[in-house]
Amino acid sequence: MAERRQFCTFMLGEHFFGVEVTRVQEVLRYQEMTRIPLAAETLPGLINLRGQIVTAVDLRSRMDMEPFAPDATPMNVVIKTGDGMISLLVDEIRDVHEMDEERFERVPETVSGVARELLEGAYKLDGSLLLILDVDRTLQFEAQDA
Amino acid sequence: MDDLVNEFLIESHENLDQLDRNLVQLEEDPENRELLASIFRTIHTIKGTCGFLGFNRLESVTHVGENLLSKLRDGEVRLNPEVTSGLLHMVDAVREMLSVIENEQNDGAEEYADLKVELTRLLEAEAAGAAAAASGAAEEPQKESTPTQAEPEKEAAPCGQQATASEPVQEPAAEQTEAEVPAAAAPRGETGSANTPRPQNASIADTSIRVDVHLLDRLMNLVGELVLSRNQILQHLSGVELPALHATSQRLNHITSELQEGVMKTRMQPVGNIWNKFPRVVRDLARGCGKQVRIEMEGKNTELDKTLIEAIKDPLTHLVRNSVDHGIESPEIRKAAGKHPEGVLSLVAYHEGGMVIIEVGDDGGGLDGERIRDKAIERGLITEESAERMSGKELQNLIFRPGFSTAKQVTNVSGRGVGMDVVKTNIERIGGSVDLDSTMGQGTTVRVKIPLTLAIIPALIVSCAGERFAVPQVSLLELVRLQGEDARKGIERISDAPVFRLRGKLLPIVYLDEELGLRKAGEPREDEKINIVVLQADSQHFGLVVDQINDSEEIVVKPLSRQLKAIAQYAGATIMGDGRVALILDVMGMAQKANVISKLRDQALIDMARAAAEEDLDLESVLVFRLGSGRMSMKLSQVKRLEEIELASVEKVGGVEVVQYRGDIMTLVRPDEILSERRREPREVEGAGSAREGLLHVVVYTTSCGHDVGLVVDEIVDIVETNLEETRQATREGVGGVIVIKERVTEMLDVDHLLEMGQVRFVETTMA
């Protein structure tokens, strides 16, 4: 039997994204944030998750997409990392999906820009693609605007 | 890494520290068999274990050492400084190899052939000498059989072969061939104690366990969260009428507090853990520079947080080295000065007011103010002109400036320019302070003051542009509020840099909102009131302008994630009582980013500006307040703080009004009642039951004997600058003089005299 991986999925704009479940601590509705002056716009704030301070990462900004609407209430995909937790801000959380490895394909050469850098690949679904995020690369960036 | 190896490393490092200490002790007391046995055991254990783990090189080094030690133990070799040095070198080599093992999982390629030769030479040379001496003393050796006693390794064992690998770490005592060892000049008296097993050893091992620090950190975090949840529950309960729930929440309250205390205690370690290394350091150093130094320790068991222990290790070592290298003189000079040729280095630690004080003192030559001044001028740290105005204490404190070093010659120990400034910076980074006390010819004492723990700190909460920020209380000096005209004109500019005249001295101003990019720099401001938080960073004062000053609070410090560590302005984050996150400002980082520090390093220019400011303003700030119907005043420099205290929190102890203030009990004094002429209607006593609403205005004053006293006044009127030379003679007791302030005759309070008149007693608080 082919190896099957599970993904926690979410929407960002029109795109359907997935992060491997083993990297996800939990998903949360919109949380109030404390903004961080001087930090890049990719780092919109800090969240109190049961006494742990979690840094939020604006995934739209990170993916070079249109910013969230000013009144948006993005949801949180909390990721475990080597030093503490990071929350990815996304439009909407979807289900956990189990994927057939046969459907996986690396990002084609023709894709350029941030997407190429941050995506591990995609699963071909009926009528759509599940884009798999490379979490570690997504969380590697400079904190301050140059 | 392999758990077994890990465990071995941890244990061996601990053992080596113990070894250093024991060897130095042994040098003073060469006949102490118990010590010798302990040293032997340690080396033997390391040797045995590394044979077992296959670290052959390490084993061969320890083996030679062990041979020498066994001869020592048997009295065939007598201990002298040369032997001690040899053994210490071996300890160093073992330490080096352990760190190689830690990094590379094998014991490296270095064979330490020289060391082995040296140890063998010592062994043979000394054995020959001692044997001759021993033949005179026809003393039979006592058979040693301490339970943990190791096998003596009489036969020259091969260096770490397979055979050793399968050997148990410690062989049973029965296998000992001790009795066959001939002639030992060991004195009988000592052997008795060596044979008695020390029962407490076993009990310590049985009742303690090793715990990963990360686990403790996690517990600490959870407890912090529990404290917050408890606070929230208590808040919600205040409007609820449910006795049972109140009782339960009270228990929750107590348990949480106790738990918090307990978890904090688990992270505490005695300061002795770092001090233990010092006898060795001092010994080597003193020998190196031909000095005689005795080390005295007091308060070894004073405990502080593990992270702090780590953080102060290097600064303290530096201070100790400094004392031996610069402080204590050579025996000849000491004799000439009429001192004992042996210098004393003292280490003292104790708790005081929630802080830990560590003093590193010596009875050496003390700091030479003249030399420091010349050096500072030569290095361009100060101008000759500003040196003229400096007090002895200020001159001494120059040694904390970067780029300063007083050593006449650069030795390999100190005098390389990296010195006291680094010590100071490192101590301040963890929220501590360094103070210097030195008398020419009598010695120097450096006093390091550090908080008990870094995890929970007192902080001032301020708001700026709608966000809350925490400012660590340790860097806080005072709060200044400007209103109306003062707010519009109070802040002046020296070529774009805003400054404020604080009691005649120029204070650089940093706007928090501009600094954090929440407002464009240099934009015109039209504030009706300005709040200045006066802060200290690296001996430089500066004023941080914030929108609002909220409250002071104990906060639990949490680190920031990797992405945010690059922002120097933040030291961490914390969770406030309402569950929201607030950033903690890094005062040092803030000062550096705002160029307060580097800008003001240009001391000459600032000194000139300051001198000019002082010249045309020979003024002093005076606090004016209302007492009854009249006005009184006192020098602002005598005022520690101004407080508003809830009337309801005033308690009575033996007829004295007191209030709990910053973890202490502060006596309240009503000056109007002491100054008889202004005695008003006897005030109704705000005692038990009559919970009166309202606030008391209290001026906190510190008496010459260090007690805080709260002077209750009716209203704080103003702070004005005035020339005190125009003070006129006072007309009654308790008043130091009369001056004219803003066209009104105002009396100046003589607080010390007033307290004497009122026979004010203080509630003594004892440290737990």
Side-chain angles (χ1 to χ4, degrees), chain A residues 32-39 43 46-48 50-53 55 83 85-86 139-144, chain B residues 221 225 465 467 469 515-518 558 560-564 566-567 569-570 573-575 579-581 583:
Chain A
E32 247 187 281
M33 281 186 290
T34 299
R35 69 180 162 143
I36 314 163
L38 298 177
L43 294 169
L46 299 172
I47 297 168
N48 171 14
R50 296 186 300 277
Q52 299 259 38
I53 293 176
T55 311
D83 76 340
M85 290 183 286
I86 299 282
L139 298 181
Q140 254 172 42
F141 55 89
E142 289 300 310
Q144 257 165 316
Chain B
N221 260 334
E225 184 59 11
E467 298 289 339
F469 297 94
E515 203 45 48
L516 296 182
L518 299 171
K558 314 231 167 174
L560 289 172
S561 70
R562 194 188 56 212
Q563 287 87 349
L564 293 169
I567 309 180
Q569 282 87 339
Y570 306 127
T574 189
I575 296 173
R580 296 227 354 161
V581 180
L583 286 159

Side-chain angles (χ1 to χ4, degrees), chain B residues 36 75 154 171 310 404 422 455 461 477 544 593 663 721 763:
Chain B
L36 198 52
K154 270 265 350 286
E171 292 183 6
E310 294 293 319
F404 191 90
V422 180
I461 313 297
L477 294 174
L544 188 69
K593 285 282 167 183
E721 304 217 312
V763 179

Side-chain angles (χ1 to χ4, degrees), chain A residues 3 44 69 73 81 96 101 106:
Chain A
E3 198 193 331
T73 53
T81 76
V96 172
E101 274 316 279
R106 300 233 153 256

Side-chain angles (χ1 to χ4, degrees), chain B residues 152-223:
Chain B
E153 280 291 327
K154 270 265 350 286
E155 68 291 334
C159 301
Q161 303 306 321
Q162 295 306 87
T164 20
S166 60
E167 266 173 30
V169 173
Q170 297 201 337
E171 292 183 6
E175 278 186 44
Q176 290 192 11
T177 49
E178 196 76 32
E180 294 162 31
V181 179
R188 252 167 194 286
E190 302 285 13
T191 47
S193 62
N195 283 337
T196 333
R198 281 167 299 169
Q200 71 263 35
N201 276 2
S203 68
I204 289 169
D206 288 345
T207 57
S208 66
I209 51 166
R210 274 177 211 281
V211 181
D212 191 342
V213 178
H214 290 113
L215 177 64
L216 290 182
D217 286 345
R218 236 177 85 75
L219 282 177
M220 190 73 204
N221 260 334
L222 288 171
V223 166

Side-chain angles (χ1 to χ4, degrees), chain B residues 310-331:
Chain B
E310 294 293 319
I312 58 169
K313 197 163 90 187
D314 288 347
L316 277 190
T317 312
H318 193 96
L319 290 176
V320 166
R321 298 178 80 106
N322 251 350
S323 278
V324 178
D325 197 32
H326 302 314
I328 293 171
E329 317 92 321
S330 60

Side-chain angles (χ1 to χ4, degrees), chain B residues 19-32 35-36 39 72 78-88 279-280 282-284 286-287 293:
Chain B
L19 208 58
D20 268 343
R21 213 157 53 236
N22 286 350
L23 280 172
V24 176
Q25 267 176 23
L26 191 67
E27 200 175 25
E28 280 158 21
D29 185 10
E31 309 286 76
N32 191 333
L35 268 175
L36 198 52
I39 293 170
L72 269 174
R78 292 191 75 85
L79 191 78
N80 60 26
E82 208 184 351
V83 173
T84 312
S85 291
L87 288 171
L88 287 172
R280 163 86 195 265
V282 168
R283 176 197 178 273
D284 286 0
R287 258 174 80 85
V293 183

